Amino acid sequence: MTEPALKKNIISNNEICYWELINNTSHWSKAFIKELGYSKKKVVTTIDFFLDHIIHEDYRAPFKDNFYNLVRHDVDFKQNILLKNKEGKYLEYICKTNDEIAVDTNINSKTIFFFKTKLKTHKKVRVDNFYYQETATMTSTGSWYVDFEKKKSYWDNITRKILEYPDDYIPSLKMGYKLYAEEHQTLASNAFFECGMSGKPFDIEILMVTANNRKFWARAMGKPVFNDAEQIIGLRGVFQDIDDVKQKEINLEKTSEIIASQNSRLFNFAHIVSHNLRSHSSNLSLIVNLINEVDKEEKLELIENIKDVSHSLNTTIEHLNEVVTIQTNAQQAKEAVSFAITLKQVATSINQIIKTTNTTIVSDFTSIEDINYIPAYMDSILLNLITNAIKYKHKDRDPVIKIRTYLDFKDNDRVVLEIKDNGSGIDLKKFGDKLFGMYKTFHYNTDARGIGLFITKNQIESLNGEITVESELNKGTIFTIKF
């Protein structure tokens, strides 16, 4: 921040304490030098002089880290510190950087402002660590330190508590990767490597693993520690348990997705009602009008058309009624539903189709044998997906359908039902956005109606589940249902 900039903001060099770094020069304001009791000739405005003669030793290390992060990476900070004046008396300040105060500064400068605090709390804080410990405990925030020179890792008691390790546990650098869930180990490794090598601070949300193998969401923050030669000699930071907040956030996102999906289905439903019913009614009106204007033979032909239109209209109404019924049935009481028994019932009901197509069904429910669900929905889901797999079988091979259940450990141990076939596959690039739409078909079979997958998706999502698909043309399809 230059003198003109200060005057522009109605602040003069004589009124505010600041330390400006610009173009490899270091400048302390007149007010700052005067407040410390020095004259301009008796003070050296360097980081070394500041660390050795001005700042209290308890605040030296964190300030040095903050200072170098500001200079090298433009990381702004705010810190409470004690500064010693020329008479040896310590004064309490809050220092803030450019981003922490509403003053326009030179675009190339980095500025640290110093403001005297009114509350003298430092003696109490130094004598009694009670308030720090209370805050750390209440916010589930533990601190850690990695020493590159001694090749050791240090945790405070809060970190041990968060990670469910005993109070006397001594961490090591080698076990660091075990603290993170397998799917987030790369994220952790990259963050720590960049911080240790280039000094880039990190602040990430990450899945961690406790000593009892419990996964939880944490906020991990870290920054480099520098020696007097400005070399990185370690890392320090904190872990904060944010699992409750993160789980609520994830659930909210899922709820939003479900609501968006339901809104989309509602729009689709309204479109079907307005378009299909209008088409049928228009056809009927046109036929009725024509009957009065044609001869007897043509009238008989038109009456046959009425039968066809009437049948189509009845089918459409049945489909729409089935969709409406899903939301009503979702309120039914759930009960323990056996996957094996349900599959046996479905296979029995379509036994002739299975035999004539020479279909093989292989199942494995050893991981999860049953689930609390609506029996009619489970029956409908298996029936629709199995008959789909048979209907769209590959022309050169007999259908083989593999069905299994398992727990998704990466998604809160949710129960998963997987149905895999070796059929003709689906072109997801072409039909992916239409796959679960009502009256949307993705093969050119003459018997394709485009209602089964729409019904299945509605049933699953009405009970807060989700269904996804993976497919490759001429190789097969995998439907994955998470309950």
PDB file of all heavy atoms in Angstrom, residues 10-40:
ATOM      1  N   ILE A  10      -8.222   8.260   2.726  1.00  0.00           N
ATOM      2  CA  ILE A  10      -8.344   9.130   3.904  1.00  0.00           C
ATOM      3  C   ILE A  10      -7.640   8.514   5.105  1.00  0.00           C
ATOM      4  O   ILE A  10      -8.109   8.547   6.231  1.00  0.00           O
ATOM      5  CB  ILE A  10      -9.825   9.440   4.222  1.00  0.00           C
ATOM      6  CG1 ILE A  10     -10.615   9.645   2.929  1.00  0.00           C
ATOM      7  CG2 ILE A  10      -9.951  10.684   5.058  1.00  0.00           C
ATOM      8  CD1 ILE A  10     -12.097   9.851   3.141  1.00  0.00           C
ATOM      9  N   ILE A  11      -6.521   7.834   4.844  1.00  0.00           N
ATOM     10  CA  ILE A  11      -5.681   7.288   5.911  1.00  0.00           C
ATOM     11  C   ILE A  11      -4.267   7.734   5.630  1.00  0.00           C
ATOM     12  O   ILE A  11      -3.774   7.563   4.522  1.00  0.00           O
ATOM     13  CB  ILE A  11      -5.745   5.751   5.940  1.00  0.00           C
ATOM     14  CG1 ILE A  11      -7.176   5.288   6.188  1.00  0.00           C
ATOM     15  CG2 ILE A  11      -4.831   5.192   7.015  1.00  0.00           C
ATOM     16  CD1 ILE A  11      -7.346   3.793   6.085  1.00  0.00           C
ATOM     17  N   SER A  12      -3.590   8.262   6.612  1.00  0.00           N
ATOM     18  CA  SER A  12      -2.232   8.723   6.346  1.00  0.00           C
ATOM     19  C   SER A  12      -1.219   7.777   6.967  1.00  0.00           C
ATOM     20  O   SER A  12      -1.530   6.986   7.849  1.00  0.00           O
ATOM     21  CB  SER A  12      -2.035  10.136   6.900  1.00  0.00           C
ATOM     22  OG  SER A  12      -1.810  10.077   8.286  1.00  0.00           O
ATOM     23  N   ASN A  13       0.005   7.923   6.506  1.00  0.00           N
ATOM     24  CA  ASN A  13       1.111   7.109   6.986  1.00  0.00           C
ATOM     25  C   ASN A  13       1.368   7.334   8.469  1.00  0.00           C
ATOM     26  O   ASN A  13       1.968   6.507   9.142  1.00  0.00           O
ATOM     27  CB  ASN A  13       2.355   7.439   6.159  1.00  0.00           C
ATOM     28  CG  ASN A  13       3.492   6.474   6.411  1.00  0.00           C
ATOM     29  OD1 ASN A  13       3.269   5.280   6.524  1.00  0.00           O
ATOM     30  ND2 ASN A  13       4.701   6.992   6.489  1.00  0.00           N
ATOM     31  N   ASN A  14       0.910   8.485   8.986  1.00  0.00           N
ATOM     32  CA  ASN A  14       1.140   8.822  10.387  1.00  0.00           C
ATOM     33  C   ASN A  14       0.055   8.292  11.316  1.00  0.00           C
ATOM     34  O   ASN A  14       0.142   8.432  12.525  1.00  0.00           O
ATOM     35  CB  ASN A  14       1.234  10.352  10.548  1.00  0.00           C
ATOM     36  CG  ASN A  14       2.417  10.916   9.780  1.00  0.00           C
ATOM     37  OD1 ASN A  14       3.502  10.358   9.816  1.00  0.00           O
ATOM     38  ND2 ASN A  14       2.195  12.024   9.079  1.00  0.00           N
ATOM     39  N   GLU A  15      -1.002   7.705  10.753  1.00  0.00           N
ATOM     40  CA  GLU A  15      -2.162   7.344  11.560  1.00  0.00           C
ATOM     41  C   GLU A  15      -2.358   5.846  11.735  1.00  0.00           C
ATOM     42  O   GLU A  15      -3.055   5.424  12.660  1.00  0.00           O
ATOM     43  CB  GLU A  15      -3.441   7.927  10.931  1.00  0.00           C
ATOM     44  CG  GLU A  15      -3.470   9.447  10.943  1.00  0.00           C
ATOM     45  CD  GLU A  15      -4.673   9.989  10.189  1.00  0.00           C
ATOM     46  OE1 GLU A  15      -5.317   9.206   9.484  1.00  0.00           O
ATOM     47  OE2 GLU A  15      -4.946  11.178  10.323  1.00  0.00           O
ATOM     48  N   ILE A  16      -1.792   5.046  10.861  1.00  0.00           N
ATOM     49  CA  ILE A  16      -2.071   3.615  10.918  1.00  0.00           C
ATOM     50  C   ILE A  16      -0.777   2.813  10.891  1.00  0.00           C
ATOM     51  O   ILE A  16       0.188   3.192  10.230  1.00  0.00           O
ATOM     52  CB  ILE A  16      -3.002   3.196   9.752  1.00  0.00           C
ATOM     53  CG1 ILE A  16      -3.525   1.783   9.972  1.00  0.00           C
ATOM     54  CG2 ILE A  16      -2.322   3.317   8.412  1.00  0.00           C
ATOM     55  CD1 ILE A  16      -4.678   1.428   9.049  1.00  0.00           C
ATOM     56  N   CYS A  17      -0.787   1.713  11.640  1.00  0.00           N
ATOM     57  CA  CYS A  17       0.381   0.832  11.679  1.00  0.00           C
ATOM     58  C   CYS A  17       0.242  -0.234  10.598  1.00  0.00           C
ATOM     59  O   CYS A  17      -0.738  -0.974  10.584  1.00  0.00           O
ATOM     60  CB  CYS A  17       0.487   0.158  13.051  1.00  0.00           C
ATOM     61  SG  CYS A  17       0.668   1.312  14.419  1.00  0.00           S
ATOM     62  N   TYR A  18       1.221  -0.270   9.712  1.00  0.00           N
ATOM     63  CA  TYR A  18       1.166  -1.286   8.664  1.00  0.00           C
ATOM     64  C   TYR A  18       2.575  -1.639   8.217  1.00  0.00           C
ATOM     65  O   TYR A  18       3.544  -0.917   8.455  1.00  0.00           O
ATOM     66  CB  TYR A  18       0.327  -0.824   7.483  1.00  0.00           C
ATOM     67  CG  TYR A  18       0.928   0.286   6.656  1.00  0.00           C
ATOM     68  CD1 TYR A  18       1.776   0.000   5.585  1.00  0.00           C
ATOM     69  CD2 TYR A  18       0.645   1.624   6.937  1.00  0.00           C
ATOM     70  CE1 TYR A  18       2.339   1.027   4.837  1.00  0.00           C
ATOM     71  CE2 TYR A  18       1.196   2.649   6.197  1.00  0.00           C
ATOM     72  CZ  TYR A  18       2.048   2.339   5.132  1.00  0.00           C
ATOM     73  OH  TYR A  18       2.612   3.339   4.392  1.00  0.00           O
ATOM     74  N   TRP A  19       2.661  -2.800   7.549  1.00  0.00           N
ATOM     75  CA  TRP A  19       3.914  -3.300   7.005  1.00  0.00           C
ATOM     76  C   TRP A  19       3.642  -3.639   5.543  1.00  0.00           C
ATOM     77  O   TRP A  19       2.825  -4.502   5.243  1.00  0.00           O
ATOM     78  CB  TRP A  19       4.344  -4.535   7.787  1.00  0.00           C
ATOM     79  CG  TRP A  19       5.643  -5.174   7.350  1.00  0.00           C
ATOM     80  CD1 TRP A  19       6.403  -4.886   6.274  1.00  0.00           C
ATOM     81  CD2 TRP A  19       6.312  -6.250   8.032  1.00  0.00           C
ATOM     82  NE1 TRP A  19       7.509  -5.699   6.213  1.00  0.00           N
ATOM     83  CE2 TRP A  19       7.477  -6.561   7.300  1.00  0.00           C
ATOM     84  CE3 TRP A  19       6.040  -6.990   9.191  1.00  0.00           C
ATOM     85  CZ2 TRP A  19       8.355  -7.572   7.680  1.00  0.00           C
ATOM     86  CZ3 TRP A  19       6.910  -7.992   9.567  1.00  0.00           C
ATOM     87  CH2 TRP A  19       8.071  -8.273   8.810  1.00  0.00           C
ATOM     88  N   GLU A  20       4.299  -2.924   4.642  1.00  0.00           N
ATOM     89  CA  GLU A  20       4.054  -3.109   3.206  1.00  0.00           C
ATOM     90  C   GLU A  20       5.238  -3.806   2.538  1.00  0.00           C
ATOM     91  O   GLU A  20       6.403  -3.481   2.796  1.00  0.00           O
ATOM     92  CB  GLU A  20       3.808  -1.763   2.527  1.00  0.00           C
ATOM     93  CG  GLU A  20       3.476  -1.921   1.048  1.00  0.00           C
ATOM     94  CD  GLU A  20       3.402  -0.577   0.320  1.00  0.00           C
ATOM     95  OE1 GLU A  20       4.104   0.354   0.768  1.00  0.00           O
ATOM     96  OE2 GLU A  20       2.665  -0.475  -0.653  1.00  0.00           O
ATOM     97  N   LEU A  21       4.918  -4.772   1.707  1.00  0.00           N
ATOM     98  CA  LEU A  21       5.922  -5.500   0.916  1.00  0.00           C
ATOM     99  C   LEU A  21       5.595  -5.271  -0.553  1.00  0.00           C
ATOM    100  O   LEU A  21       4.519  -5.639  -1.020  1.00  0.00           O
ATOM    101  CB  LEU A  21       5.869  -6.997   1.240  1.00  0.00           C
ATOM    102  CG  LEU A  21       6.074  -7.340   2.713  1.00  0.00           C
ATOM    103  CD1 LEU A  21       5.480  -8.693   3.036  1.00  0.00           C
ATOM    104  CD2 LEU A  21       7.555  -7.313   3.057  1.00  0.00           C
ATOM    105  N   ILE A  22       6.509  -4.649  -1.267  1.00  0.00           N
ATOM    106  CA  ILE A  22       6.258  -4.347  -2.672  1.00  0.00           C
ATOM    107  C   ILE A  22       7.574  -4.322  -3.436  1.00  0.00           C
ATOM    108  O   ILE A  22       8.550  -3.692  -3.025  1.00  0.00           O
ATOM    109  CB  ILE A  22       5.506  -2.998  -2.833  1.00  0.00           C
ATOM    110  CG1 ILE A  22       5.211  -2.716  -4.300  1.00  0.00           C
ATOM    111  CG2 ILE A  22       6.260  -1.856  -2.187  1.00  0.00           C
ATOM    112  CD1 ILE A  22       4.283  -1.534  -4.526  1.00  0.00           C
ATOM    113  N   ASN A  23       7.593  -5.082  -4.549  1.00  0.00           N
ATOM    114  CA  ASN A  23       8.776  -5.110  -5.431  1.00  0.00           C
ATOM    115  C   ASN A  23      10.074  -5.375  -4.662  1.00  0.00           C
ATOM    116  O   ASN A  23      11.060  -4.638  -4.772  1.00  0.00           O
ATOM    117  CB  ASN A  23       8.891  -3.794  -6.214  1.00  0.00           C
ATOM    118  CG  ASN A  23       7.697  -3.579  -7.118  1.00  0.00           C
ATOM    119  OD1 ASN A  23       7.083  -4.539  -7.594  1.00  0.00           O
ATOM    120  ND2 ASN A  23       7.350  -2.324  -7.351  1.00  0.00           N
ATOM    121  N   ASN A  24      10.053  -6.400  -3.821  1.00  0.00           N
ATOM    122  CA  ASN A  24      11.226  -6.827  -3.054  1.00  0.00           C
ATOM    123  C   ASN A  24      11.710  -5.800  -2.030  1.00  0.00           C
ATOM    124  O   ASN A  24      12.857  -5.841  -1.588  1.00  0.00           O
ATOM    125  CB  ASN A  24      12.397  -7.182  -3.997  1.00  0.00           C
ATOM    126  CG  ASN A  24      12.065  -8.366  -4.893  1.00  0.00           C
ATOM    127  OD1 ASN A  24      11.467  -9.328  -4.432  1.00  0.00           O
ATOM    128  ND2 ASN A  24      12.448  -8.279  -6.157  1.00  0.00           N
ATOM    129  N   THR A  25      10.843  -4.867  -1.677  1.00  0.00           N
ATOM    130  CA  THR A  25      11.189  -3.901  -0.623  1.00  0.00           C
ATOM    131  C   THR A  25      10.224  -4.060   0.546  1.00  0.00           C
ATOM    132  O   THR A  25       9.071  -4.450   0.370  1.00  0.00           O
ATOM    133  CB  THR A  25      11.116  -2.448  -1.135  1.00  0.00           C
ATOM    134  OG1 THR A  25       9.764  -2.157  -1.533  1.00  0.00           O
ATOM    135  CG2 THR A  25      12.056  -2.247  -2.306  1.00  0.00           C
ATOM    136  N   SER A  26      10.725  -3.747   1.737  1.00  0.00           N
ATOM    137  CA  SER A  26       9.931  -3.868   2.948  1.00  0.00           C
ATOM    138  C   SER A  26       9.831  -2.489   3.592  1.00  0.00           C
ATOM    139  O   SER A  26      10.852  -1.822   3.805  1.00  0.00           O
ATOM    140  CB  SER A  26      10.599  -4.868   3.903  1.00  0.00           C
ATOM    141  OG  SER A  26       9.897  -4.935   5.115  1.00  0.00           O
ATOM    142  N   HIS A  27       8.582  -2.085   3.891  1.00  0.00           N
ATOM    143  CA  HIS A  27       8.379  -0.734   4.429  1.00  0.00           C
ATOM    144  C   HIS A  27       7.432  -0.778   5.622  1.00  0.00           C
ATOM    145  O   HIS A  27       6.360  -1.382   5.551  1.00  0.00           O
ATOM    146  CB  HIS A  27       7.784   0.160   3.331  1.00  0.00           C
ATOM    147  CG  HIS A  27       7.335   1.491   3.836  1.00  0.00           C
ATOM    148  ND1 HIS A  27       8.213   2.470   4.255  1.00  0.00           N
ATOM    149  CD2 HIS A  27       6.085   2.013   3.997  1.00  0.00           C
ATOM    150  CE1 HIS A  27       7.535   3.531   4.648  1.00  0.00           C
ATOM    151  NE2 HIS A  27       6.243   3.273   4.506  1.00  0.00           N
ATOM    152  N   TRP A  28       7.840  -0.165   6.747  1.00  0.00           N
ATOM    153  CA  TRP A  28       6.971  -0.022   7.905  1.00  0.00           C
ATOM    154  C   TRP A  28       6.503   1.429   7.979  1.00  0.00           C
ATOM    155  O   TRP A  28       7.271   2.361   7.752  1.00  0.00           O
ATOM    156  CB  TRP A  28       7.715  -0.355   9.206  1.00  0.00           C
ATOM    157  CG  TRP A  28       8.103  -1.813   9.327  1.00  0.00           C
ATOM    158  CD1 TRP A  28       7.911  -2.798   8.420  1.00  0.00           C
ATOM    159  CD2 TRP A  28       8.762  -2.424  10.438  1.00  0.00           C
ATOM    160  NE1 TRP A  28       8.405  -3.977   8.862  1.00  0.00           N
ATOM    161  CE2 TRP A  28       8.936  -3.787  10.124  1.00  0.00           C
ATOM    162  CE3 TRP A  28       9.227  -1.949  11.660  1.00  0.00           C
ATOM    163  CZ2 TRP A  28       9.549  -4.686  10.989  1.00  0.00           C
ATOM    164  CZ3 TRP A  28       9.842  -2.842  12.538  1.00  0.00           C
ATOM    165  CH2 TRP A  28       9.997  -4.209  12.202  1.00  0.00           C
ATOM    166  N   SER A  29       5.245   1.608   8.319  1.00  0.00           N
ATOM    167  CA  SER A  29       4.714   2.965   8.397  1.00  0.00           C
ATOM    168  C   SER A  29       5.333   3.727   9.575  1.00  0.00           C
ATOM    169  O   SER A  29       5.823   3.127  10.542  1.00  0.00           O
ATOM    170  CB  SER A  29       3.189   2.935   8.558  1.00  0.00           C
ATOM    171  OG  SER A  29       2.838   2.430   9.830  1.00  0.00           O
ATOM    172  N   LYS A  30       5.302   5.064   9.486  1.00  0.00           N
ATOM    173  CA  LYS A  30       5.836   5.916  10.554  1.00  0.00           C
ATOM    174  C   LYS A  30       5.116   5.637  11.872  1.00  0.00           C
ATOM    175  O   LYS A  30       5.734   5.604  12.941  1.00  0.00           O
ATOM    176  CB  LYS A  30       5.682   7.385  10.185  1.00  0.00           C
ATOM    177  CG  LYS A  30       6.532   7.820   8.998  1.00  0.00           C
ATOM    178  CD  LYS A  30       6.262   9.284   8.653  1.00  0.00           C
ATOM    179  CE  LYS A  30       7.072   9.725   7.432  1.00  0.00           C
ATOM    180  NZ  LYS A  30       6.773  11.128   7.062  1.00  0.00           N
ATOM    181  N   ALA A  31       3.799   5.429  11.764  1.00  0.00           N
ATOM    182  CA  ALA A  31       3.007   5.180  12.976  1.00  0.00           C
ATOM    183  C   ALA A  31       3.421   3.880  13.646  1.00  0.00           C
ATOM    184  O   ALA A  31       3.475   3.781  14.884  1.00  0.00           O
ATOM    185  CB  ALA A  31       1.523   5.129  12.614  1.00  0.00           C
ATOM    186  N   PHE A  32       3.729   2.867  12.832  1.00  0.00           N
ATOM    187  CA  PHE A  32       4.123   1.568  13.381  1.00  0.00           C
ATOM    188  C   PHE A  32       5.479   1.667  14.098  1.00  0.00           C
ATOM    189  O   PHE A  32       5.655   1.185  15.221  1.00  0.00           O
ATOM    190  CB  PHE A  32       4.164   0.535  12.256  1.00  0.00           C
ATOM    191  CG  PHE A  32       4.355  -0.877  12.724  1.00  0.00           C
ATOM    192  CD1 PHE A  32       3.741  -1.347  13.878  1.00  0.00           C
ATOM    193  CD2 PHE A  32       5.139  -1.769  12.001  1.00  0.00           C
ATOM    194  CE1 PHE A  32       3.908  -2.668  14.311  1.00  0.00           C
ATOM    195  CE2 PHE A  32       5.315  -3.078  12.416  1.00  0.00           C
ATOM    196  CZ  PHE A  32       4.699  -3.530  13.572  1.00  0.00           C
ATOM    197  N   ILE A  33       6.426   2.327  13.437  1.00  0.00           N
ATOM    198  CA  ILE A  33       7.767   2.487  14.024  1.00  0.00           C
ATOM    199  C   ILE A  33       7.687   3.308  15.317  1.00  0.00           C
ATOM    200  O   ILE A  33       8.308   2.964  16.336  1.00  0.00           O
ATOM    201  CB  ILE A  33       8.715   3.169  13.016  1.00  0.00           C
ATOM    202  CG1 ILE A  33       8.928   2.259  11.804  1.00  0.00           C
ATOM    203  CG2 ILE A  33      10.047   3.494  13.671  1.00  0.00           C
ATOM    204  CD1 ILE A  33       9.697   2.910  10.663  1.00  0.00           C
ATOM    205  N   LYS A  34       6.887   4.374  15.295  1.00  0.00           N
ATOM    206  CA  LYS A  34       6.742   5.249  16.456  1.00  0.00           C
ATOM    207  C   LYS A  34       6.081   4.499  17.615  1.00  0.00           C
ATOM    208  O   LYS A  34       6.490   4.642  18.783  1.00  0.00           O
ATOM    209  CB  LYS A  34       5.922   6.473  16.070  1.00  0.00           C
ATOM    210  CG  LYS A  34       5.742   7.471  17.201  1.00  0.00           C
ATOM    211  CD  LYS A  34       4.917   8.662  16.725  1.00  0.00           C
ATOM    212  CE  LYS A  34       4.701   9.656  17.867  1.00  0.00           C
ATOM    213  NZ  LYS A  34       3.880  10.815  17.428  1.00  0.00           N
ATOM    214  N   GLU A  35       5.055   3.690  17.307  1.00  0.00           N
ATOM    215  CA  GLU A  35       4.336   2.975  18.356  1.00  0.00           C
ATOM    216  C   GLU A  35       5.227   1.952  19.052  1.00  0.00           C
ATOM    217  O   GLU A  35       5.062   1.663  20.239  1.00  0.00           O
ATOM    218  CB  GLU A  35       3.094   2.283  17.768  1.00  0.00           C
ATOM    219  CG  GLU A  35       2.131   1.812  18.840  1.00  0.00           C
ATOM    220  CD  GLU A  35       0.730   1.617  18.291  1.00  0.00           C
ATOM    221  OE1 GLU A  35       0.107   2.604  17.853  1.00  0.00           O
ATOM    222  OE2 GLU A  35       0.287   0.468  18.289  1.00  0.00           O
ATOM    223  N   LEU A  36       6.185   1.395  18.302  1.00  0.00           N
ATOM    224  CA  LEU A  36       7.123   0.436  18.885  1.00  0.00           C
ATOM    225  C   LEU A  36       8.248   1.126  19.653  1.00  0.00           C
ATOM    226  O   LEU A  36       9.067   0.457  20.290  1.00  0.00           O
ATOM    227  CB  LEU A  36       7.715  -0.455  17.782  1.00  0.00           C
ATOM    228  CG  LEU A  36       6.726  -1.416  17.099  1.00  0.00           C
ATOM    229  CD1 LEU A  36       7.403  -2.118  15.926  1.00  0.00           C
ATOM    230  CD2 LEU A  36       6.172  -2.435  18.087  1.00  0.00           C
ATOM    231  N   GLY A  37       8.297   2.463  19.578  1.00  0.00           N
ATOM    232  CA  GLY A  37       9.274   3.236  20.340  1.00  0.00           C
ATOM    233  C   GLY A  37      10.616   3.388  19.663  1.00  0.00           C
ATOM    234  O   GLY A  37      11.596   3.784  20.303  1.00  0.00           O
ATOM    235  N   TYR A  38      10.665   3.092  18.377  1.00  0.00           N
ATOM    236  CA  TYR A  38      11.937   3.186  17.652  1.00  0.00           C
ATOM    237  C   TYR A  38      11.968   4.448  16.796  1.00  0.00           C
ATOM    238  O   TYR A  38      10.933   5.063  16.531  1.00  0.00           O
ATOM    239  CB  TYR A  38      12.121   1.970  16.735  1.00  0.00           C
ATOM    240  CG  TYR A  38      12.428   0.686  17.458  1.00  0.00           C
ATOM    241  CD1 TYR A  38      11.403  -0.164  17.867  1.00  0.00           C
ATOM    242  CD2 TYR A  38      13.744   0.297  17.714  1.00  0.00           C
ATOM    243  CE1 TYR A  38      11.673  -1.362  18.519  1.00  0.00           C
ATOM    244  CE2 TYR A  38      14.027  -0.894  18.361  1.00  0.00           C
ATOM    245  CZ  TYR A  38      12.985  -1.722  18.758  1.00  0.00           C
ATOM    246  OH  TYR A  38      13.262  -2.902  19.397  1.00  0.00           O
ATOM    247  N   SER A  39      13.154   4.803  16.362  1.00  0.00           N
ATOM    248  CA  SER A  39      13.299   5.825  15.337  1.00  0.00           C
ATOM    249  C   SER A  39      13.568   5.108  14.018  1.00  0.00           C
ATOM    250  O   SER A  39      13.944   3.929  14.007  1.00  0.00           O
ATOM    251  CB  SER A  39      14.464   6.765  15.671  1.00  0.00           C
ATOM    252  OG  SER A  39      15.688   6.051  15.637  1.00  0.00           O
ATOM    253  N   LYS A  40      13.398   5.796  12.932  1.00  0.00           N
ATOM    254  CA  LYS A  40      13.561   5.171  11.628  1.00  0.00           C
ATOM    255  C   LYS A  40      14.978   4.632  11.429  1.00  0.00           C
ATOM    256  O   LYS A  40      15.188   3.628  10.746  1.00  0.00           O
ATOM    257  CB  LYS A  40      13.217   6.194  10.529  1.00  0.00           C
ATOM    258  CG  LYS A  40      12.899   5.552   9.195  1.00  0.00           C
ATOM    259  CD  LYS A  40      12.300   6.564   8.231  1.00  0.00           C
ATOM    260  CE  LYS A  40      11.888   5.894   6.936  1.00  0.00           C
ATOM    261  NZ  LYS A  40      11.297   6.850   5.971  1.00  0.00           N
TER     262      LYS A  40
END
